[in-house]
């Protein structure tokens, strides 16, 4: 059943006033800094939705600041979810918490999250991740599975570059690129290209439903729910990728401003702030570089996805040009705890498709309340 909004400021219909967007960004909940008792290090936290709702931890992708969840404030509030995201080490106000400075350790990150969530009085919580956030989230599940309520919801989850079906582009960078080149080769070109691609699903004010195909290892049959989907073609994605690689800073700024005009003032304002913050972190902080080291396995993850046992629901776009569906089709045969949902016509940035996010939050609400 398609969701019908009763509020003109509902993010699901891509409408939000500039005044409410500014108030949301300036709200103290949106930019908290928590000090860890164990080490005295600081962690940046953003919190939206229902303050009294069930807590759900959101782990963002590479170059994704915690403030990216501001887009889902109304959505989380309507579903009675207290949505929390953290700036990983090296982003914004978050210190480098690793024992070897600048060298990420996924299980040290898990310990940090465990302490942080206790400080925030999140005794048990749901978990959702986007892209690279899956690598961090699944590591956490290996150490503290009892604290996660329900399955881990992974959206466009990253997977090891050694996985059959992964892009040769990433395989090549992972194998040959030295660390000092990772910052530009991974964090700039691919992400700026895909940043443009997401706007094809942001411009329309009318929500559309999507179809998913779910598969698990224990079943050879597929279940399908039919809905109408927003139009998105792989042709436009590839042309956007090729053109963006030659864009200079001035053209990039102009392109972003042009694209901002296609959505409501409030939502445009939040997107622009997220984009500006991502670029600022890329230029001034170490977080994106640290994340890239994790993505390309320049540091040992310390585990494989096949080692995990906590239930996982993965949502992968049929036309994902960052983490191809073929890679997750392969992983689906290797993991006993995985339910793979294929999003028809979806790309990598499913989190900007508000029709998809509406269905996801509905599922999360049902799960955490059961």
């Amino acid at each position: 059943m398609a969701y019908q909004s009763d509020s003109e400021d509902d993010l699901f219909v891509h409408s939000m006033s500039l005044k409410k967007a500014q108030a949301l960004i300036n709200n103290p909940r949106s930019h908290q800094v928590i000090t860890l008792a164990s080490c005295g290090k600081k962690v940046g936290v953003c919190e939206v939705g229902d303050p009294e709702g069930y807590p759900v931890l959101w782990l963002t992708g590479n170059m994704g600041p915690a403030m990216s969840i501001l887009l889902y404030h109304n959505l989380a509030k309507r579903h009675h979810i207290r949505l929390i995201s953290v700036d990983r080490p090296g982003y914004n106000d978050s210190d480098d918490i690793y024992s070897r400075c600048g060298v990420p350790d996924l299980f040290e990150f898990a310990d940090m999250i465990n302490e942080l969530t206790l400080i925030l009085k999140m005794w048990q919580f749901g978990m959702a991740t986007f892209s690279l956030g899956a690598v961090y989230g699944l590591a956490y599940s290996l150490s503290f599975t009892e604290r996660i309520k329900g399955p881990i919801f992974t959206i466009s989850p990253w997977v090891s570059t050694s996985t059959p079906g992964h892009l040769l582009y990433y395989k090549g960078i992972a194998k040959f690129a030295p660390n000092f080149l990772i910052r530009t080769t991974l964090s700039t070109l691919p992400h700026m290209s895909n940043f443009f691609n997401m706007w094809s699903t942001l411009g329309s004010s009318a929500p559309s439903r999507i179809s998913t195909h779910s598969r698990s290892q224990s079943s050879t049959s597929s279940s399908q729910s039919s809905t109408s989907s927003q139009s998105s073609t792989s042709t436009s994605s590839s042309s956007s990728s090729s053109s963006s690689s030659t864009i200079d800073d001035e053209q990039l700024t102009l392109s972003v401003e042009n694209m901002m005009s296609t959505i409501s003032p409030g939502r445009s304002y939040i997107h622009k702030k997220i984009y500006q913050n991502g670029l600022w972190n890329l230029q001034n902080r170490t977080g994106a570089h640290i994340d890239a080291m994790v993505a390309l396995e320049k540091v040992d993850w310390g585990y494989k996805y096949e080692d995990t046992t906590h239930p996982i629901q993965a949502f992968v776009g049929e036309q994902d040009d960052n983490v191809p569906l073929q890679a997750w089709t392969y992983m689906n045969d290797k993991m006993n705890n995985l339910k793979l949902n294929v999003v028809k016509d979806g790309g990598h940035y499913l989190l900007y498709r508000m029709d998809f996010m509406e269905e996801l939050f509905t599922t999360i609400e049902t799960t955490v309340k059961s």
Side-chain angles (χ1 to χ4, degrees):
M1 179 175 65
Y3 173 78
Q4 298 296 325
S5 171
D6 294 323
S7 170
E8 65 179 5
D9 289 323
D10 197 315
L11 289 179
F12 182 58
V13 294
H14 309 287
S15 177
M16 190 180 200
S17 70
L18 179 59
K19 183 178 179 180
K20 288 201 172 184
Q22 291 172 332
L24 185 59
I25 284 182
N26 293 326
N27 191 305
R29 293 180 70 206
S30 301
H31 43 83
Q32 305 173 55
V33 179
I34 308 296
T35 300
L36 301 176
S38 61
C39 60
K41 299 292 182 68
K42 293 179 171 55
V43 182
V45 175
C46 181
E47 183 175 329
V48 299
D50 183 354
E52 304 300 323
Y54 196 90
V56 173
L57 180 66
W58 176 277
L59 297 176
T60 66
N62 188 18
M63 228 175 74
M67 68 178 293
S68 60
I69 64 169
L70 293 174
L71 294 168
Y72 312 119
H73 171 66
N74 287 0
L75 190 57
K77 187 175 181 179
R78 186 171 63 251
H79 287 282
H80 309 291
I81 289 173
R82 177 189 171 202
L83 189 64
I84 301 101
S85 185
V86 303
D87 279 317
R88 285 195 287 271
Y91 284 95
N92 293 315
D93 294 317
S94 290
D95 293 330
D96 185 336
I97 54 91
Y98 299 119
S99 56
R100 296 171 59 199
C101 185
V103 181
D105 183 307
L106 297 180
F107 292 99
E108 289 181 353
F109 178 83
D111 290 339
M112 180 203 79
I113 290 295
N114 201 53
E115 180 178 353
L116 179 70
T117 50
L118 291 173
I119 293 173
L120 294 172
K121 299 181 179 180
M122 298 164 59
W123 314 125
Q124 194 176 36
F125 51 89
M127 180 179 285
T129 74
F130 170 67
S131 195
L132 185 62
V135 181
Y136 291 90
L138 297 189
Y140 181 85
S141 76
L142 284 169
S143 297
F144 304 102
T145 186
E146 72 283 353
R147 298 201 58 207
I148 304 173
K149 178 71 177 293
I152 299 173
F153 296 91
T154 61
I155 304 158
S156 307
W158 186 255
V159 71
S160 170
T161 56
S162 64
T163 306
H166 212 312
L167 295 176
L168 292 177
Y169 176 81
Y170 289 122
K171 290 178 182 288
I173 296 176
K175 185 174 182 179
F176 299 111
N179 281 338
F180 75 89
L181 285 179
I182 291 177
R183 185 181 180 106
T184 51
T185 55
L186 178 67
S187 297
T188 304
L189 295 180
H191 285 273
M192 289 301 96
S193 298
N194 284 298
F195 178 80
F196 294 127
N197 297 344
M198 73 183 184
W199 293 93
S200 63
T201 60
L202 290 178
S204 173
S205 62
S208 66
R209 303 278 289 175
I210 57 177
S211 297
T212 63
H213 302 270
S214 302
R215 299 185 306 170
S216 63
Q217 184 178 6
S218 60
S219 174
T220 57
S221 62
S222 298
S223 63
Q224 177 176 335
S225 61
S226 298
T227 56
S228 61
S229 62
Q230 288 177 306
S231 61
S232 173
T233 65
S234 57
T235 302
S236 64
S237 296
S238 62
S239 64
S240 176
S241 296
S242 61
S243 64
S244 63
S245 62
T246 60
I247 277 182
D248 60 28
D249 291 342
E250 186 174 335
Q251 291 172 311
L252 181 59
T253 301
L254 181 61
S255 297
V256 171
E257 289 176 351
N258 288 339
M259 289 185 292
M260 291 300 176
S261 66
T262 66
I263 54 179
S264 65
R267 191 166 172 80
S268 169
Y269 180 79
I270 292 177
H271 271 289
K272 192 168 185 177
K273 289 294 183 181
I274 294 171
Y275 170 74
Q276 291 172 341
N277 187 254
L279 282 186
W280 182 87
N281 275 287
L282 185 61
Q283 295 164 358
N284 298 281
R285 298 284 276 136
T286 60
H289 184 211
I290 290 174
D291 271 351
M293 291 173 65
V294 173
L296 296 175
E297 295 164 89
K298 294 296 184 178
V299 292
D300 187 0
W301 288 0
Y303 79 102
K304 296 180 179 180
Y305 279 5
E306 297 93 318
D307 299 333
T308 62
T309 57
H310 195 95
I312 300 166
Q313 282 209 40
F315 299 86
V316 180
E318 188 178 49
Q319 299 176 7
D320 193 326
D321 58 359
N322 217 342
V323 186
L325 175 59
Q326 296 93 315
W328 272 103
T329 301
Y330 174 85
M331 292 304 300
N332 193 43
D333 293 332
K334 298 291 183 181
M335 299 175 66
N336 295 321
N337 55 326
L338 173 68
K339 181 179 180 182
L340 178 62
N341 302 273
V342 180
V343 182
K344 185 179 180 182
D345 297 325
H348 187 66
Y349 285 85
L350 296 173
L351 78 169
Y352 292 115
R353 285 182 57 158
M354 300 308 289
D355 56 339
F356 168 79
M357 294 303 290
E358 170 67 30
E359 292 188 359
L360 178 68
F361 273 68
T362 299
T363 302
I364 292 175
E365 180 186 18
T366 302
T367 301
V368 297
K369 287 186 175 181
S370 63

